[in-house]
Amino acid sequence: MTNSFSSLTKSASIVLVTFIIAACGSSDNSPSANLDLGKNYPSESGGTLISAMTGEPSGLISMIAGESASSAISSNIFNSLLKYDKNLELEGDLVTSWEISSDQKTITFKLKPNLKWADNKPLTSADVLFTWQAVTDEKTASPYASDFQLVKKAETPDPLTFTVTYEQAYAPALDSWAGLQILPKHLLQGQDLHTTSFARNPVGSHYYKLDRWTHGENLKLSRNPNSVLGQAKIDQLITRIIPDNSAQFLELMADNIDYMGLDPIKFSRIIPARPELQQKLALYKELGNSYTYMGFNLKHKPFDDVRVRHAINYAIDKQEIIDGVYLGLGINIASPYKPGTRWSNPALTPYPYDPAKARALLKEAGFADTDGDGILDRDGKPFAFEIVTNQNKEREKSAVLIQRRLKDVGIDVKIRAIEWASFISRFIKTGDFDVVVLGWGLGLDPDQFNIWHSSQQAPGQFNFIGYNNPVVDKLLEQGRLELDPDKRMKIYHEFARTLLQDSPIIYLSAGYGLTAIHKRVKGIDDPAPPAGIGHNSQDWYIPQQLRRNEISQ
């Protein structure tokens, strides 16, 4: 989720961090306030970049946590075998090269020589093998396991060579290895990844290492001298835990943080209307690879009835949400793929707003207002349920609009918004909810087996709504094994069509990433390349003259 389970997918290696924000005013006492922020300063090392996040990570082993907060931090600490460049082409991260066999079933990775962990121990193919064994271990119960369980054999012929062989050619194979963060065998062998202290005190190989994690306050990272990719420009990254979105925006305006995501009101109205904010903040807008949705717990009645799901889909005015909550900065969608990509089926159209059709379907499903109170009943029980979401202003506002529209057709809805970590542990991992409003952040490969296949419903896995459709299962299985891009596209178009007809979720909007970065931060590509503004964050720098007066924490 984008502060969502959005995060949760295989794209963690190509995005830096996106934070979700809201609120209002303060004054600027920054040391750079009277300097020329638009001047071209030479690149130099040093300085501190401060950001904020609403939800604190549950841990920094992303294969366990499966959440955006964890990935946002851990992606600065750990490497994968592969990564995506600024044009979304695969390139080596820990490896110099890779070779695919003629039958497309075996991949041989060649690691870079002299790789080291932050504790100065060697990083070898044994660590890669250990990580594969960990992610596929049933005790780990990783939501990403299904990608790697298709490997029938993994070998380490020598310290610099890692080879995997699949039973059948697996189309998303390379993409999966771009999303798996490699862990140190010498520190984790024999430990329970769910309880190990390593999750709060990790040792990685990437540009940064964790210096300090102050629970409920901040995480402080500093440059890793042993970084396998060389040195980043900025010395320290501090991520502050500020659950209240309004407080985050106040901190941005007070020059106490440098980088944050914005809600549409801040992006479109507040900052453009205030010259002092325009002077010091650069704004970036990117169509993301994510969407917001309302999901049903399909194991709870009456959501197991497709007529009820269709009725609710017709009863919700999605354009009202896009216009009212996102100020038009969203797209009404009918497919779980980024609009405009080959995987998004152009023949599909969203369910229109049609309350009359919604009422007719609810009547057909056996609901009627038997006592005249305006709320439909069936079997002597009123049609009432609770929407649960995290403390995200856009999701809360969306839920309020949904609540009003469903009341119009006779459904009584309550709303509960709670802190992220509690939301995940109490509701998502237990499946103890009726309806959720959340988001999915997707990888570049169209495979969505982890989210929709019926086998992915164990606690901690991503099919937490309990979706089970044999047709979808078969399509997802076929899509993973089809190597021809055109044939694969047809499979995922049919998958999206079936999903739309089933309505296990209601698509609310595909949104834009709206980001504000203080102009003291230089080296940002503008316009952003396909991989987004964060693709080269290691090259961002803060000139000495523009750095804030920092107090050691």
Side-chain angles (χ1 to χ4, degrees), residues 38-59:
K39 177 181 174 182
N40 289 325
Y41 292 88
S43 175
E44 58 180 310
S45 298
T48 299
L49 180 72
I50 304 176
S51 61
M53 64 196 323
T54 56
E56 186 167 11
S58 59

Side-chain angles (χ1 to χ4, degrees), residues 2-3 18-24 51-54 240 242-253 257 259-267 271 391-394 397 514-516:
T2 297
N3 213 22
T18 302
F19 303 109
I20 301 169
I21 300 311
C24 234
S51 61
M53 64 196 323
T54 56
R240 296 176 56 194
I242 308 178
D244 182 73
N245 292 333
S246 299
Q248 285 193 21
F249 192 62
L250 288 171
E251 292 293 84
L252 178 70
M253 291 192 294
I257 61 176
Y259 176 24
M260 66 186 286
L262 299 173
D263 66 73
I265 292 177
K266 307 299 178 294
F267 185 88
I271 292 178
Q391 292 173 334
N392 171 303
K393 294 302 182 184
E394 288 72 51
K397 292 175 183 177
L514 309 174
T515 308

Side-chain angles (χ1 to χ4, degrees), residues 156-273:
T156 54
D158 60 64
L160 297 182
T161 305
F162 177 66
T163 300
V164 288
T165 301
Y166 294 82
E167 191 71 46
Q168 301 181 66
Y170 177 47
L174 290 176
D175 178 79
S176 69
W177 291 105
L180 183 67
Q181 295 174 357
I182 304 304
L183 301 173
K185 177 181 178 179
H186 69 284
L187 294 175
L188 285 170
Q189 189 172 29
Q191 295 198 37
D192 183 341
L193 297 189
H194 290 274
T195 59
T196 177
S197 60
F198 182 92
R200 292 191 62 88
N201 188 27
V203 173
S205 56
H206 213 345
Y207 289 113
Y208 292 91
K209 59 186 179 69
L210 180 68
D211 277 351
R212 186 182 66 249
W213 183 346
T214 305
H215 179 66
E217 295 184 15
N218 61 64
L219 294 94
K220 180 180 176 182
L221 278 63
S222 64
R223 285 196 292 176
N224 172 18
N226 288 334
S227 168
V228 300
L229 300 178
Q231 293 298 292
K233 291 290 185 183
I234 294 175
D235 274 346
Q236 296 182 337
L237 305 180
I238 295 177
T239 302
R240 296 176 56 194
I241 311 302
I242 308 178
D244 182 73
N245 292 333
S246 299
Q248 285 193 21
F249 192 62
L250 288 171
E251 292 293 84
L252 178 70
M253 291 192 294
D255 199 37
N256 293 326
I257 61 176
D258 300 305
Y259 176 24
M260 66 186 286
L262 299 173
D263 66 73
I265 292 177
K266 307 299 178 294
F267 185 88
S268 299
R269 295 181 181 173
I270 293 180
I271 292 178

Side-chain angles (χ1 to χ4, degrees), residues 220 550-553:
K220 180 180 176 182
E550 296 164 4
I551 299 174
S552 178
Q553 297 191 23

